[in-house]
Amino acid sequence: MRSLRVWAIVALVLGGCTSDSPPPAEATGPPPPPPTQWRPLIGEYAAVGDTVSVLEDGGSLRLLRWHGTPMDLRVESPDTFQVVGEGRLIFVRTPEGRVTHMLLDQARYPRLTLGAEGGGTFRIEPLRPPEELREVALAATPPAEEGDFLPTDLVELVALDSTIALDVRYASTNNFMGELFYSRPMAFLQRPAAEALVRAHRWLEPLGYGLLIHDAYRPWYVTRMFWDATPESLRLFVADPTSGSRHNRGAAVDLTLFDRATGEPVPMPGGYDEFSPRSFPDYPGGTSRQRWHRDLLREVMEREGFTVYEAEWWHFDSDDWRRYRIGNARFEDLVGG
């Protein structure tokens, strides 16, 4: 957890890195997955003053220093590579096959755990007990706002298109706090944003994908709970309740792609609600296939007037989000019971 304090600075570095992979297009499919033997090697490693990513790009394994450019790795053996222009790279495993660190010209780089490895859910240790957070948040009042706002018209997404998939994490304990926040797994957006999202979902259908919703409208008191629970070093990833979240206005959505043939979520470079550099929309690590899918999601959402949030590949704001007031109605208030 020590490295979490520098993630905001790392974001500036990673933002300047780009992948050589071509942008997604309707006429092209995703790149193939990397060879099975490479998958345990892909990730982040750090020595004092030097952090690197091992990534797959265009069918090649590469080493990327966070302040530099990618360098090709030439295979010598399953765990030994030649870094073009640098030296030899050796991956070291446990007897069970888990990679613990790498040796770059004998310098030791332990493997970093960014977010949740192996497809799990990222967790934080809340600063205060959830029951106390909820009591304080429900007793608080959202910030007063002045202006000419559009009337609130929240609609349930699946009521517009029942093929939209839901995995509303805050209606379960499968979220970054391990706490239940919503009384039911539902997703609402202001009507113009909801209709735009449905168009994006249908545009993806011929490509074999659909949209899987993790969160949309979020009552303000939940944003207050998130803020009060999260350590200051990680607050880049949660909204300040004194100004409210874009989710509170019903004009922001957290989502990913799912495979229509299997119903399964499509793997991305990092997990949902993962407080790590892998969450940045331009994070260059992972695999070509993961980045292609992330960029496809961004492409289709931008076509319909959404903008990706700078720190989260899964978060998209409707262009008119500023025109709606902060809301604090609970889901049971919206559906009448």
Side-chain angles (χ1 to χ4, degrees):
M1 295 294 284
R2 179 172 52 84
S3 63
L4 299 178
R5 298 185 179 90
V6 302
W7 281 351
I9 298 172
V10 167
L12 298 176
V13 177
L14 290 177
C17 298
T18 59
S19 166
D20 292 335
S21 298
E26 296 159 78
T28 63
T36 303
Q37 64 269 24
W38 287 359
R39 294 178 190 174
L41 312 179
I42 294 170
E44 277 66 42
Y45 303 79
V48 176
D50 190 20
T51 303
V52 301
S53 293
V54 174
L55 59 101
E56 180 271 330
D57 194 19
S60 297
L61 207 58
R62 293 183 173 182
L63 180 77
L64 171 66
R65 282 201 161 91
W66 282 8
H67 58 271
T69 56
M71 296 171 285
D72 287 335
L73 300 181
R74 294 178 181 168
V75 179
E76 292 186 358
S77 72
D79 287 336
T80 304
F81 297 80
Q82 186 70 32
V83 184
V84 177
E86 286 242 351
R88 179 166 289 172
L89 174 62
I90 301 172
F91 293 95
V92 180
R93 301 173 184 260
T94 65
E96 295 75 29
R98 182 174 61 86
V99 176
T100 58
H101 63 281
M102 69 181 196
L103 300 173
L104 180 57
D105 282 344
Q106 302 305 311
R108 191 175 188 274
Y109 286 70
R111 185 182 179 98
L112 298 179
T113 300
L114 299 182
E117 300 291 340
T121 300
F122 176 81
R123 295 274 200 267
I124 67 166
E125 185 66 35
L127 294 177
R128 296 158 70 182
E131 298 78 10
E132 180 181 329
L133 293 168
R134 181 175 287 103
E135 181 180 357
V136 169
L138 287 172
T141 303
E145 298 182 289
E146 294 183 0
D148 183 18
F149 294 99
L150 293 172
T152 293
D153 184 15
L154 292 170
V155 296
E156 189 180 359
L157 293 177
V158 295
L160 297 184
D161 190 323
S162 62
T163 66
I164 291 173
L166 297 181
D167 178 17
V168 181
R169 296 293 183 87
Y170 304 131
S172 73
T173 57
N174 184 26
N175 55 62
F176 76 102
M177 281 177 56
E179 179 64 22
L180 193 69
F181 295 96
Y182 300 160
S183 59
R184 56 201 75 187
M186 305 180 76
F188 303 86
L189 281 179
Q190 302 288 355
R191 187 173 298 275
E195 291 172 347
L197 184 139
V198 168
R199 290 194 298 270
H201 175 68
R202 292 174 179 173
W203 183 86
L204 286 163
E205 184 173 5
L207 305 180
Y209 303 108
L211 294 178
L212 171 66
I213 313 301
H214 289 311
D215 196 25
Y217 164 72
R218 179 186 304 158
W220 177 85
Y221 79 90
V222 176
T223 294
R224 173 68 187 266
M225 290 181 67
F226 288 175
W227 183 263
D228 290 348
T230 302
E232 187 174 352
S233 62
L234 295 178
R235 282 182 172 170
L236 173 66
F237 298 96
V238 292
D240 186 343
T242 61
S243 55
S245 164
R246 301 167 195 190
H247 284 285
N248 302 153
R249 302 177 189 275
V253 61
D254 293 347
L255 76 174
T256 188
L257 299 176
F258 75 91
D259 186 321
R260 287 182 185 255
T262 66
E264 293 298 315
V266 173
M268 297 289 186
Y272 171 63
D273 258 0
E274 179 180 300
F275 295 9
S276 93
R278 299 193 301 201
S279 296
F280 291 89
D282 295 321
Y283 164 72
T287 70
S288 298
R289 189 178 181 89
Q290 291 169 341
R291 294 189 301 275
W292 190 94
H293 283 119
R294 179 193 64 193
D295 295 345
L296 175 64
L297 176 65
R298 181 172 179 175
E299 177 183 315
V300 69
M301 293 298 288
E302 288 179 345
R303 284 169 63 108
E304 297 299 339
F306 290 87
T307 302
V308 70
Y309 179 55
E310 62 185 4
E312 298 171 343
W313 61 261
W314 59 82
H315 177 124
F316 290 86
D317 300 310
S318 175
D319 285 349
D320 61 358
W321 67 267
R322 294 175 181 84
R323 302 186 64 194
Y324 294 96
R325 288 188 180 277
I326 292 171
N328 201 24
R330 303 193 209 185
F331 287 7
E332 49 266 41
D333 300 326
L334 297 176
V335 296

